[in-house]
PDB file of all heavy atoms in Angstrom:
ATOM      1  N   LEU A   1     -51.370 -78.297 109.132  1.00 98.00           N
ATOM      2  CA  LEU A   1     -50.753 -79.410 108.411  1.00 98.00           C
ATOM      3  C   LEU A   1     -51.746 -80.075 107.464  1.00 98.00           C
ATOM      4  O   LEU A   1     -51.379 -80.521 106.372  1.00 98.00           O
ATOM      5  CB  LEU A   1     -50.205 -80.439 109.411  1.00 98.00           C
ATOM      6  CG  LEU A   1     -48.915 -80.031 110.123  1.00 98.00           C
ATOM      7  CD1 LEU A   1     -48.692 -80.885 111.364  1.00 98.00           C
ATOM      8  CD2 LEU A   1     -47.729 -80.138 109.174  1.00 98.00           C
ATOM      9  N   ALA A   2     -53.000 -80.126 107.869  1.00 98.00           N
ATOM     10  CA  ALA A   2     -54.021 -80.715 107.002  1.00 98.00           C
ATOM     11  C   ALA A   2     -54.227 -79.888 105.741  1.00 98.00           C
ATOM     12  O   ALA A   2     -54.642 -80.415 104.696  1.00 98.00           O
ATOM     13  CB  ALA A   2     -55.338 -80.852 107.768  1.00 98.00           C
ATOM     14  N   TYR A   3     -53.941 -78.594 105.813  1.00 97.00           N
ATOM     15  CA  TYR A   3     -54.084 -77.694 104.669  1.00 97.00           C
ATOM     16  C   TYR A   3     -52.712 -77.251 104.149  1.00 97.00           C
ATOM     17  O   TYR A   3     -52.560 -76.158 103.636  1.00 97.00           O
ATOM     18  CB  TYR A   3     -54.909 -76.471 105.069  1.00 97.00           C
ATOM     19  CG  TYR A   3     -56.395 -76.726 105.110  1.00 97.00           C
ATOM     20  CD1 TYR A   3     -56.975 -77.347 106.201  1.00 97.00           C
ATOM     21  CD2 TYR A   3     -57.215 -76.363 104.038  1.00 97.00           C
ATOM     22  CE1 TYR A   3     -58.338 -77.599 106.246  1.00 97.00           C
ATOM     23  CE2 TYR A   3     -58.575 -76.611 104.070  1.00 97.00           C
ATOM     24  CZ  TYR A   3     -59.132 -77.228 105.176  1.00 97.00           C
ATOM     25  OH  TYR A   3     -60.493 -77.468 105.205  1.00 97.00           O
ATOM     26  N   ARG A   4     -51.738 -78.126 104.262  1.00 97.00           N
ATOM     27  CA  ARG A   4     -50.382 -77.727 103.901  1.00 97.00           C
ATOM     28  C   ARG A   4     -50.228 -77.365 102.427  1.00 97.00           C
ATOM     29  O   ARG A   4     -49.403 -76.528 102.081  1.00 97.00           O
ATOM     30  CB  ARG A   4     -49.381 -78.804 104.288  1.00 97.00           C
ATOM     31  CG  ARG A   4     -49.554 -80.159 103.623  1.00 97.00           C
ATOM     32  CD  ARG A   4     -48.421 -81.062 104.097  1.00 97.00           C
ATOM     33  NE  ARG A   4     -48.514 -82.423 103.607  1.00 97.00           N
ATOM     34  CZ  ARG A   4     -49.024 -83.440 104.285  1.00 97.00           C
ATOM     35  NH1 ARG A   4     -49.516 -83.220 105.507  1.00 97.00           N
ATOM     36  NH2 ARG A   4     -49.066 -84.649 103.791  1.00 97.00           N
ATOM     37  N   ALA A   5     -51.022 -77.966 101.565  1.00 97.00           N
ATOM     38  CA  ALA A   5     -50.910 -77.626 100.147  1.00 97.00           C
ATOM     39  C   ALA A   5     -51.222 -76.151  99.922  1.00 97.00           C
ATOM     40  O   ALA A   5     -50.535 -75.466  99.151  1.00 97.00           O
ATOM     41  CB  ALA A   5     -51.846 -78.501  99.310  1.00 97.00           C
ATOM     42  N   ALA A   6     -52.234 -75.651 100.610  1.00 97.00           N
ATOM     43  CA  ALA A   6     -52.596 -74.237 100.475  1.00 97.00           C
ATOM     44  C   ALA A   6     -51.539 -73.345 101.096  1.00 97.00           C
ATOM     45  O   ALA A   6     -51.162 -72.306 100.530  1.00 97.00           O
ATOM     46  CB  ALA A   6     -53.953 -73.976 101.123  1.00 97.00           C
ATOM     47  N   LEU A   7     -51.033 -73.729 102.262  1.00 97.00           N
ATOM     48  CA  LEU A   7     -50.047 -72.893 102.948  1.00 97.00           C
ATOM     49  C   LEU A   7     -48.708 -72.894 102.221  1.00 97.00           C
ATOM     50  O   LEU A   7     -48.063 -71.844 102.079  1.00 97.00           O
ATOM     51  CB  LEU A   7     -49.865 -73.381 104.389  1.00 97.00           C
ATOM     52  CG  LEU A   7     -51.032 -73.090 105.328  1.00 97.00           C
ATOM     53  CD1 LEU A   7     -50.843 -73.796 106.658  1.00 97.00           C
ATOM     54  CD2 LEU A   7     -51.187 -71.589 105.547  1.00 97.00           C
ATOM     55  N   LEU A   8     -48.280 -74.061 101.762  1.00 97.00           N
ATOM     56  CA  LEU A   8     -46.995 -74.148 101.071  1.00 97.00           C
ATOM     57  C   LEU A   8     -47.077 -73.651  99.629  1.00 97.00           C
ATOM     58  O   LEU A   8     -46.061 -73.592  98.935  1.00 97.00           O
ATOM     59  CB  LEU A   8     -46.480 -75.588 101.102  1.00 97.00           C
ATOM     60  CG  LEU A   8     -46.161 -76.144 102.494  1.00 97.00           C
ATOM     61  CD1 LEU A   8     -45.755 -77.614 102.403  1.00 97.00           C
ATOM     62  CD2 LEU A   8     -45.065 -75.336 103.175  1.00 97.00           C
ATOM     63  N   GLY A   9     -48.272 -73.276  99.215  1.00 96.00           N
ATOM     64  CA  GLY A   9     -48.443 -72.755  97.863  1.00 96.00           C
ATOM     65  C   GLY A   9     -47.715 -71.447  97.619  1.00 96.00           C
ATOM     66  O   GLY A   9     -47.522 -71.050  96.464  1.00 96.00           O
ATOM     67  N   THR A  10     -47.306 -70.769  98.687  1.00 97.00           N
ATOM     68  CA  THR A  10     -46.577 -69.507  98.519  1.00 97.00           C
ATOM     69  C   THR A  10     -45.067 -69.706  98.372  1.00 97.00           C
ATOM     70  O   THR A  10     -44.350 -68.766  98.044  1.00 97.00           O
ATOM     71  CB  THR A  10     -46.817 -68.577  99.724  1.00 97.00           C
ATOM     72  OG1 THR A  10     -46.295 -69.190 100.915  1.00 97.00           O
ATOM     73  CG2 THR A  10     -48.301 -68.305  99.918  1.00 97.00           C
ATOM     74  N   VAL A  11     -44.591 -70.908  98.627  1.00 98.00           N
ATOM     75  CA  VAL A  11     -43.141 -71.140  98.648  1.00 98.00           C
ATOM     76  C   VAL A  11     -42.499 -70.811  97.309  1.00 98.00           C
ATOM     77  O   VAL A  11     -41.458 -70.129  97.249  1.00 98.00           O
ATOM     78  CB  VAL A  11     -42.839 -72.592  99.069  1.00 98.00           C
ATOM     79  CG1 VAL A  11     -41.365 -72.937  98.804  1.00 98.00           C
ATOM     80  CG2 VAL A  11     -43.162 -72.799 100.545  1.00 98.00           C
ATOM     81  N   GLU A  12     -43.080 -71.276  96.218  1.00 97.00           N
ATOM     82  CA  GLU A  12     -42.473 -71.027  94.907  1.00 97.00           C
ATOM     83  C   GLU A  12     -42.474 -69.540  94.559  1.00 97.00           C
ATOM     84  O   GLU A  12     -41.520 -69.034  93.960  1.00 97.00           O
ATOM     85  CB  GLU A  12     -43.202 -71.825  93.825  1.00 97.00           C
ATOM     86  CG  GLU A  12     -42.988 -73.337  93.926  1.00 97.00           C
ATOM     87  CD  GLU A  12     -41.509 -73.718  93.920  1.00 97.00           C
ATOM     88  OE1 GLU A  12     -40.745 -73.156  93.087  1.00 97.00           O
ATOM     89  OE2 GLU A  12     -41.122 -74.577  94.731  1.00 97.00           O
ATOM     90  N   ALA A  13     -43.535 -68.845  94.966  1.00 97.00           N
ATOM     91  CA  ALA A  13     -43.580 -67.399  94.726  1.00 97.00           C
ATOM     92  C   ALA A  13     -42.487 -66.689  95.512  1.00 97.00           C
ATOM     93  O   ALA A  13     -41.843 -65.756  95.006  1.00 97.00           O
ATOM     94  CB  ALA A  13     -44.956 -66.845  95.099  1.00 97.00           C
ATOM     95  N   ILE A  14     -42.274 -67.112  96.738  1.00 98.00           N
ATOM     96  CA  ILE A  14     -41.222 -66.505  97.566  1.00 98.00           C
ATOM     97  C   ILE A  14     -39.855 -66.805  96.974  1.00 98.00           C
ATOM     98  O   ILE A  14     -38.974 -65.927  96.922  1.00 98.00           O
ATOM     99  CB  ILE A  14     -41.336 -67.012  99.012  1.00 98.00           C
ATOM    100  CG1 ILE A  14     -42.617 -66.465  99.660  1.00 98.00           C
ATOM    101  CG2 ILE A  14     -40.101 -66.624  99.825  1.00 98.00           C
ATOM    102  CD1 ILE A  14     -42.970 -67.108 100.976  1.00 98.00           C
ATOM    103  N   LYS A  15     -39.642 -68.029  96.528  1.00 98.00           N
ATOM    104  CA  LYS A  15     -38.363 -68.390  95.911  1.00 98.00           C
ATOM    105  C   LYS A  15     -38.111 -67.555  94.658  1.00 98.00           C
ATOM    106  O   LYS A  15     -36.972 -67.146  94.386  1.00 98.00           O
ATOM    107  CB  LYS A  15     -38.334 -69.879  95.578  1.00 98.00           C
ATOM    108  CG  LYS A  15     -38.237 -70.768  96.802  1.00 98.00           C
ATOM    109  CD  LYS A  15     -38.548 -72.222  96.500  1.00 98.00           C
ATOM    110  CE  LYS A  15     -37.573 -72.864  95.559  1.00 98.00           C
ATOM    111  NZ  LYS A  15     -37.857 -74.307  95.384  1.00 98.00           N
ATOM    112  N   ALA A  16     -39.164 -67.274  93.904  1.00 98.00           N
ATOM    113  CA  ALA A  16     -39.008 -66.449  92.699  1.00 98.00           C
ATOM    114  C   ALA A  16     -38.574 -65.037  93.070  1.00 98.00           C
ATOM    115  O   ALA A  16     -37.713 -64.435  92.403  1.00 98.00           O
ATOM    116  CB  ALA A  16     -40.317 -66.421  91.908  1.00 98.00           C
ATOM    117  N   GLU A  17     -39.152 -64.484  94.143  1.00 98.00           N
ATOM    118  CA  GLU A  17     -38.747 -63.147  94.589  1.00 98.00           C
ATOM    119  C   GLU A  17     -37.319 -63.159  95.133  1.00 98.00           C
ATOM    120  O   GLU A  17     -36.557 -62.219  94.903  1.00 98.00           O
ATOM    121  CB  GLU A  17     -39.719 -62.627  95.647  1.00 98.00           C
ATOM    122  CG  GLU A  17     -41.131 -62.395  95.136  1.00 98.00           C
ATOM    123  CD  GLU A  17     -41.165 -61.503  93.909  1.00 98.00           C
ATOM    124  OE1 GLU A  17     -40.517 -60.435  93.927  1.00 98.00           O
ATOM    125  OE2 GLU A  17     -41.834 -61.879  92.922  1.00 98.00           O
ATOM    126  N   ARG A  18     -36.974 -64.215  95.852  1.00 98.00           N
ATOM    127  CA  ARG A  18     -35.591 -64.357  96.330  1.00 98.00           C
ATOM    128  C   ARG A  18     -34.612 -64.335  95.160  1.00 98.00           C
ATOM    129  O   ARG A  18     -33.608 -63.613  95.185  1.00 98.00           O
ATOM    130  CB  ARG A  18     -35.459 -65.672  97.100  1.00 98.00           C
ATOM    131  CG  ARG A  18     -34.027 -66.035  97.490  1.00 98.00           C
ATOM    132  CD  ARG A  18     -33.909 -67.512  97.797  1.00 98.00           C
ATOM    133  NE  ARG A  18     -34.081 -68.345  96.623  1.00 98.00           N
ATOM    134  CZ  ARG A  18     -34.324 -69.652  96.649  1.00 98.00           C
ATOM    135  NH1 ARG A  18     -34.474 -70.280  97.807  1.00 98.00           N
ATOM    136  NH2 ARG A  18     -34.438 -70.341  95.521  1.00 98.00           N
ATOM    137  N   ASP A  19     -34.904 -65.123  94.152  1.00 98.00           N
ATOM    138  CA  ASP A  19     -34.002 -65.193  93.001  1.00 98.00           C
ATOM    139  C   ASP A  19     -33.965 -63.872  92.239  1.00 98.00           C
ATOM    140  O   ASP A  19     -32.924 -63.484  91.685  1.00 98.00           O
ATOM    141  CB  ASP A  19     -34.430 -66.332  92.073  1.00 98.00           C
ATOM    142  CG  ASP A  19     -34.263 -67.709  92.717  1.00 98.00           C
ATOM    143  OD1 ASP A  19     -33.523 -67.804  93.724  1.00 98.00           O
ATOM    144  OD2 ASP A  19     -34.874 -68.677  92.227  1.00 98.00           O
ATOM    145  N   ARG A  20     -35.101 -63.159  92.226  1.00 98.00           N
ATOM    146  CA  ARG A  20     -35.125 -61.844  91.573  1.00 98.00           C
ATOM    147  C   ARG A  20     -34.240 -60.859  92.329  1.00 98.00           C
ATOM    148  O   ARG A  20     -33.501 -60.074  91.713  1.00 98.00           O
ATOM    149  CB  ARG A  20     -36.560 -61.312  91.494  1.00 98.00           C
ATOM    150  CG  ARG A  20     -36.665 -59.927  90.848  1.00 98.00           C
ATOM    151  CD  ARG A  20     -38.059 -59.668  90.320  1.00 98.00           C
ATOM    152  NE  ARG A  20     -39.004 -59.359  91.356  1.00 98.00           N
ATOM    153  CZ  ARG A  20     -39.433 -58.125  91.642  1.00 98.00           C
ATOM    154  NH1 ARG A  20     -38.942 -57.069  90.980  1.00 98.00           N
ATOM    155  NH2 ARG A  20     -40.339 -57.912  92.571  1.00 98.00           N
ATOM    156  N   ILE A  21     -34.291 -60.907  93.662  1.00 98.00           N
ATOM    157  CA  ILE A  21     -33.443 -60.021  94.464  1.00 98.00           C
ATOM    158  C   ILE A  21     -31.973 -60.308  94.175  1.00 98.00           C
ATOM    159  O   ILE A  21     -31.172 -59.388  93.943  1.00 98.00           O
ATOM    160  CB  ILE A  21     -33.743 -60.192  95.962  1.00 98.00           C
ATOM    161  CG1 ILE A  21     -35.138 -59.654  96.294  1.00 98.00           C
ATOM    162  CG2 ILE A  21     -32.691 -59.483  96.810  1.00 98.00           C
ATOM    163  CD1 ILE A  21     -35.612 -60.008  97.689  1.00 98.00           C
ATOM    164  N   VAL A  22     -31.610 -61.586  94.190  1.00 98.00           N
ATOM    165  CA  VAL A  22     -30.213 -61.958  93.916  1.00 98.00           C
ATOM    166  C   VAL A  22     -29.778 -61.449  92.547  1.00 98.00           C
ATOM    167  O   VAL A  22     -28.718 -60.824  92.400  1.00 98.00           O
ATOM    168  CB  VAL A  22     -30.038 -63.495  94.006  1.00 98.00           C
ATOM    169  CG1 VAL A  22     -28.651 -63.904  93.506  1.00 98.00           C
ATOM    170  CG2 VAL A  22     -30.250 -63.985  95.429  1.00 98.00           C
ATOM    171  N   ALA A  23     -30.601 -61.703  91.534  1.00 98.00           N
ATOM    172  CA  ALA A  23     -30.237 -61.330  90.165  1.00 98.00           C
ATOM    173  C   ALA A  23     -30.111 -59.820  90.006  1.00 98.00           C
ATOM    174  O   ALA A  23     -29.151 -59.325  89.389  1.00 98.00           O
ATOM    175  CB  ALA A  23     -31.272 -61.877  89.193  1.00 98.00           C
ATOM    176  N   GLU A  24     -31.060 -59.061  90.552  1.00 97.00           N
ATOM    177  CA  GLU A  24     -31.040 -57.610  90.348  1.00 97.00           C
ATOM    178  C   GLU A  24     -29.921 -56.927  91.136  1.00 97.00           C
ATOM    179  O   GLU A  24     -29.305 -55.977  90.650  1.00 97.00           O
ATOM    180  CB  GLU A  24     -32.408 -57.012  90.681  1.00 97.00           C
ATOM    181  CG  GLU A  24     -33.502 -57.483  89.725  1.00 97.00           C
ATOM    182  CD  GLU A  24     -34.669 -56.529  89.632  1.00 97.00           C
ATOM    183  OE1 GLU A  24     -34.521 -55.337  90.009  1.00 97.00           O
ATOM    184  OE2 GLU A  24     -35.743 -56.971  89.177  1.00 97.00           O
ATOM    185  N   LEU A  25     -29.653 -57.411  92.338  1.00 97.00           N
ATOM    186  CA  LEU A  25     -28.560 -56.827  93.102  1.00 97.00           C
ATOM    187  C   LEU A  25     -27.208 -57.140  92.448  1.00 97.00           C
ATOM    188  O   LEU A  25     -26.312 -56.293  92.409  1.00 97.00           O
ATOM    189  CB  LEU A  25     -28.580 -57.314  94.544  1.00 97.00           C
ATOM    190  CG  LEU A  25     -29.756 -56.844  95.408  1.00 97.00           C
ATOM    191  CD1 LEU A  25     -29.597 -57.347  96.840  1.00 97.00           C
ATOM    192  CD2 LEU A  25     -29.901 -55.320  95.392  1.00 97.00           C
ATOM    193  N   ARG A  26     -27.080 -58.344  91.937  1.00 97.00           N
ATOM    194  CA  ARG A  26     -25.833 -58.683  91.245  1.00 97.00           C
ATOM    195  C   ARG A  26     -25.690 -57.880  89.957  1.00 97.00           C
ATOM    196  O   ARG A  26     -24.573 -57.448  89.609  1.00 97.00           O
ATOM    197  CB  ARG A  26     -25.786 -60.181  90.952  1.00 97.00           C
ATOM    198  CG  ARG A  26     -25.469 -61.023  92.180  1.00 97.00           C
ATOM    199  CD  ARG A  26     -25.481 -62.504  91.887  1.00 97.00           C
ATOM    200  NE  ARG A  26     -25.060 -63.264  93.071  1.00 97.00           N
ATOM    201  CZ  ARG A  26     -25.172 -64.578  93.192  1.00 97.00           C
ATOM    202  NH1 ARG A  26     -25.700 -65.291  92.201  1.00 97.00           N
ATOM    203  NH2 ARG A  26     -24.757 -65.186  94.298  1.00 97.00           N
ATOM    204  N   ALA A  27     -26.796 -57.663  89.275  1.00 96.00           N
ATOM    205  CA  ALA A  27     -26.747 -56.861  88.048  1.00 96.00           C
ATOM    206  C   ALA A  27     -26.318 -55.427  88.344  1.00 96.00           C
ATOM    207  O   ALA A  27     -25.736 -54.752  87.487  1.00 96.00           O
ATOM    208  CB  ALA A  27     -28.116 -56.870  87.360  1.00 96.00           C
ATOM    209  N   ALA A  28     -26.596 -54.977  89.572  1.00 95.00           N
ATOM    210  CA  ALA A  28     -26.187 -53.627  89.981  1.00 95.00           C
ATOM    211  C   ALA A  28     -24.743 -53.598  90.476  1.00 95.00           C
ATOM    212  O   ALA A  28     -24.260 -52.541  90.906  1.00 95.00           O
ATOM    213  CB  ALA A  28     -27.120 -53.116  91.074  1.00 95.00           C
ATOM    214  N   GLY A  29     -24.082 -54.742  90.441  1.00 95.00           N
ATOM    215  CA  GLY A  29     -22.673 -54.800  90.811  1.00 95.00           C
ATOM    216  C   GLY A  29     -22.400 -55.149  92.260  1.00 95.00           C
ATOM    217  O   GLY A  29     -21.251 -55.053  92.712  1.00 95.00           O
ATOM    218  N   LEU A  30     -23.425 -55.565  92.989  1.00 96.00           N
ATOM    219  CA  LEU A  30     -23.227 -55.894  94.395  1.00 96.00           C
ATOM    220  C   LEU A  30     -22.851 -57.362  94.566  1.00 96.00           C
ATOM    221  O   LEU A  30     -23.225 -58.220  93.755  1.00 96.00           O
ATOM    222  CB  LEU A  30     -24.506 -55.614  95.195  1.00 96.00           C
ATOM    223  CG  LEU A  30     -25.053 -54.180  95.137  1.00 96.00           C
ATOM    224  CD1 LEU A  30     -26.236 -54.043  96.082  1.00 96.00           C
ATOM    225  CD2 LEU A  30     -23.973 -53.174  95.488  1.00 96.00           C
ATOM    226  N   THR A  31     -22.129 -57.652  95.640  1.00 96.00           N
ATOM    227  CA  THR A  31     -21.804 -59.027  95.999  1.00 96.00           C
ATOM    228  C   THR A  31     -22.959 -59.602  96.799  1.00 96.00           C
ATOM    229  O   THR A  31     -23.386 -59.019  97.805  1.00 96.00           O
ATOM    230  CB  THR A  31     -20.507 -59.092  96.828  1.00 96.00           C
ATOM    231  OG1 THR A  31     -19.442 -58.540  96.065  1.00 96.00           O
ATOM    232  CG2 THR A  31     -20.171 -60.518  97.212  1.00 96.00           C
ATOM    233  N   VAL A  32     -23.471 -60.746  96.356  1.00 97.00           N
ATOM    234  CA  VAL A  32     -24.660 -61.337  96.965  1.00 97.00           C
ATOM    235  C   VAL A  32     -24.396 -62.823  97.209  1.00 97.00           C
ATOM    236  O   VAL A  32     -23.894 -63.527  96.328  1.00 97.00           O
ATOM    237  CB  VAL A  32     -25.895 -61.170  96.061  1.00 97.00           C
ATOM    238  CG1 VAL A  32     -27.144 -61.725  96.747  1.00 97.00           C
ATOM    239  CG2 VAL A  32     -26.097 -59.714  95.684  1.00 97.00           C
ATOM    240  N   ALA A  33     -24.725 -63.307  98.387  1.00 96.00           N
ATOM    241  CA  ALA A  33     -24.559 -64.721  98.701  1.00 96.00           C
ATOM    242  C   ALA A  33     -25.639 -65.548  98.012  1.00 96.00           C
ATOM    243  O   ALA A  33     -26.789 -65.096  97.876  1.00 96.00           O
ATOM    244  CB  ALA A  33     -24.623 -64.933 100.211  1.00 96.00           C
ATOM    245  N   ASP A  34     -25.275 -66.758  97.565  1.00 95.00           N
ATOM    246  CA  ASP A  34     -26.276 -67.679  97.047  1.00 95.00           C
ATOM    247  C   ASP A  34     -27.255 -68.021  98.167  1.00 95.00           C
ATOM    248  O   ASP A  34     -26.865 -68.125  99.336  1.00 95.00           O
ATOM    249  CB  ASP A  34     -25.619 -68.968  96.561  1.00 95.00           C
ATOM    250  CG  ASP A  34     -24.778 -68.761  95.310  1.00 95.00           C
ATOM    251  OD1 ASP A  34     -25.108 -67.858  94.525  1.00 95.00           O
ATOM    252  OD2 ASP A  34     -23.795 -69.508  95.126  1.00 95.00           O
ATOM    253  N   SER A  35     -28.523 -68.213  97.829  1.00 97.00           N
ATOM    254  CA  SER A  35     -29.512 -68.462  98.874  1.00 97.00           C
ATOM    255  C   SER A  35     -30.396 -69.655  98.559  1.00 97.00           C
ATOM    256  O   SER A  35     -30.931 -69.786  97.456  1.00 97.00           O
ATOM    257  CB  SER A  35     -30.397 -67.234  99.098  1.00 97.00           C
ATOM    258  OG  SER A  35     -31.365 -67.501 100.098  1.00 97.00           O
ATOM    259  N   ASP A  36     -30.546 -70.533  99.556  1.00 97.00           N
ATOM    260  CA  ASP A  36     -31.506 -71.628  99.521  1.00 97.00           C
ATOM    261  C   ASP A  36     -32.619 -71.374 100.533  1.00 97.00           C
ATOM    262  O   ASP A  36     -33.375 -72.282 100.853  1.00 97.00           O
ATOM    263  CB  ASP A  36     -30.805 -72.948  99.865  1.00 97.00           C
ATOM    264  CG  ASP A  36     -29.902 -73.427  98.745  1.00 97.00           C
ATOM    265  OD1 ASP A  36     -30.422 -73.942  97.748  1.00 97.00           O
ATOM    266  OD2 ASP A  36     -28.669 -73.270  98.858  1.00 97.00           O
ATOM    267  N   ALA A  37     -32.698 -70.136 101.018  1.00 98.00           N
ATOM    268  CA  ALA A  37     -33.669 -69.791 102.052  1.00 98.00           C
ATOM    269  C   ALA A  37     -34.675 -68.780 101.507  1.00 98.00           C
ATOM    270  O   ALA A  37     -34.777 -68.572 100.294  1.00 98.00           O
ATOM    271  CB  ALA A  37     -32.941 -69.244 103.274  1.00 98.00           C
ATOM    272  N   ASN A  38     -35.429 -68.133 102.399  1.00 98.00           N
ATOM    273  CA  ASN A  38     -36.385 -67.111 101.962  1.00 98.00           C
ATOM    274  C   ASN A  38     -35.835 -65.713 102.241  1.00 98.00           C
ATOM    275  O   ASN A  38     -36.585 -64.769 102.463  1.00 98.00           O
ATOM    276  CB  ASN A  38     -37.737 -67.299 102.650  1.00 98.00           C
ATOM    277  CG  ASN A  38     -37.686 -66.985 104.145  1.00 98.00           C
ATOM    278  OD1 ASN A  38     -36.633 -67.101 104.776  1.00 98.00           O
ATOM    279  ND2 ASN A  38     -38.823 -66.606 104.716  1.00 98.00           N
ATOM    280  N   PHE A  39     -34.510 -65.591 102.216  1.00 98.00           N
ATOM    281  CA  PHE A  39     -33.855 -64.306 102.441  1.00 98.00           C
ATOM    282  C   PHE A  39     -32.567 -64.250 101.641  1.00 98.00           C
ATOM    283  O   PHE A  39     -32.098 -65.266 101.118  1.00 98.00           O
ATOM    284  CB  PHE A  39     -33.573 -64.089 103.930  1.00 98.00           C
ATOM    285  CG  PHE A  39     -32.734 -65.190 104.549  1.00 98.00           C
ATOM    286  CD1 PHE A  39     -31.347 -65.183 104.438  1.00 98.00           C
ATOM    287  CD2 PHE A  39     -33.333 -66.218 105.249  1.00 98.00           C
ATOM    288  CE1 PHE A  39     -30.580 -66.189 104.995  1.00 98.00           C
ATOM    289  CE2 PHE A  39     -32.565 -67.238 105.812  1.00 98.00           C
ATOM    290  CZ  PHE A  39     -31.183 -67.214 105.686  1.00 98.00           C
ATOM    291  N   VAL A  40     -32.002 -63.047 101.577  1.00 98.00           N
ATOM    292  CA  VAL A  40     -30.781 -62.827 100.792  1.00 98.00           C
ATOM    293  C   VAL A  40     -29.821 -61.976 101.621  1.00 98.00           C
ATOM    294  O   VAL A  40     -30.213 -60.944 102.179  1.00 98.00           O
ATOM    295  CB  VAL A  40     -31.102 -62.109  99.466  1.00 98.00           C
ATOM    296  CG1 VAL A  40     -29.818 -61.778  98.705  1.00 98.00           C
ATOM    297  CG2 VAL A  40     -32.029 -62.974  98.607  1.00 98.00           C
ATOM    298  N   LEU A  41     -28.582 -62.397 101.683  1.00 98.00           N
ATOM    299  CA  LEU A  41     -27.520 -61.625 102.330  1.00 98.00           C
ATOM    300  C   LEU A  41     -26.716 -60.936 101.232  1.00 98.00           C
ATOM    301  O   LEU A  41     -26.271 -61.592 100.278  1.00 98.00           O
ATOM    302  CB  LEU A  41     -26.610 -62.536 103.150  1.00 98.00           C
ATOM    303  CG  LEU A  41     -25.516 -61.830 103.954  1.00 98.00           C
ATOM    304  CD1 LEU A  41     -26.121 -61.130 105.169  1.00 98.00           C
ATOM    305  CD2 LEU A  41     -24.439 -62.830 104.399  1.00 98.00           C
ATOM    306  N   TYR A  42     -26.532 -59.627 101.370  1.00 98.00           N
ATOM    307  CA  TYR A  42     -25.848 -58.891 100.311  1.00 98.00           C
ATOM    308  C   TYR A  42     -24.936 -57.817 100.895  1.00 98.00           C
ATOM    309  O   TYR A  42     -25.170 -57.311 101.997  1.00 98.00           O
ATOM    310  CB  TYR A  42     -26.865 -58.250  99.357  1.00 98.00           C
ATOM    311  CG  TYR A  42     -27.727 -57.190  99.986  1.00 98.00           C
ATOM    312  CD1 TYR A  42     -27.418 -55.837  99.860  1.00 98.00           C
ATOM    313  CD2 TYR A  42     -28.858 -57.538 100.720  1.00 98.00           C
ATOM    314  CE1 TYR A  42     -28.208 -54.860 100.448  1.00 98.00           C
ATOM    315  CE2 TYR A  42     -29.658 -56.566 101.313  1.00 98.00           C
ATOM    316  CZ  TYR A  42     -29.320 -55.231 101.172  1.00 98.00           C
ATOM    317  OH  TYR A  42     -30.094 -54.253 101.762  1.00 98.00           O
TER     318      TYR A  42
END
């Protein structure tokens, strides 16, 4: 917790990958659930 800035520094990178997964799977014609988490249901 004292070093939370360093640990939480990966959150935005993970969110970017999540959004990339959603976008690319949808572009391929798949049905994908919107995600506010670090995973994607498709």
Side-chain angles (χ1 to χ4, degrees):
L1 285 163
Y3 281 80
R4 62 177 176 263
L7 288 171
L8 296 176
T10 63
V11 168
E12 291 305 316
I14 292 169
K15 289 166 64 175
E17 295 307 312
R18 172 200 68 196
D19 294 343
R20 179 159 76 102
I21 291 170
V22 171
E24 295 204 19
L25 292 183
R26 284 178 175 169
L30 303 185
T31 301
V32 183
D34 291 331
S35 179
D36 288 284
N38 69 333
F39 57 83
V40 175
L41 184 74
Y42 65 97

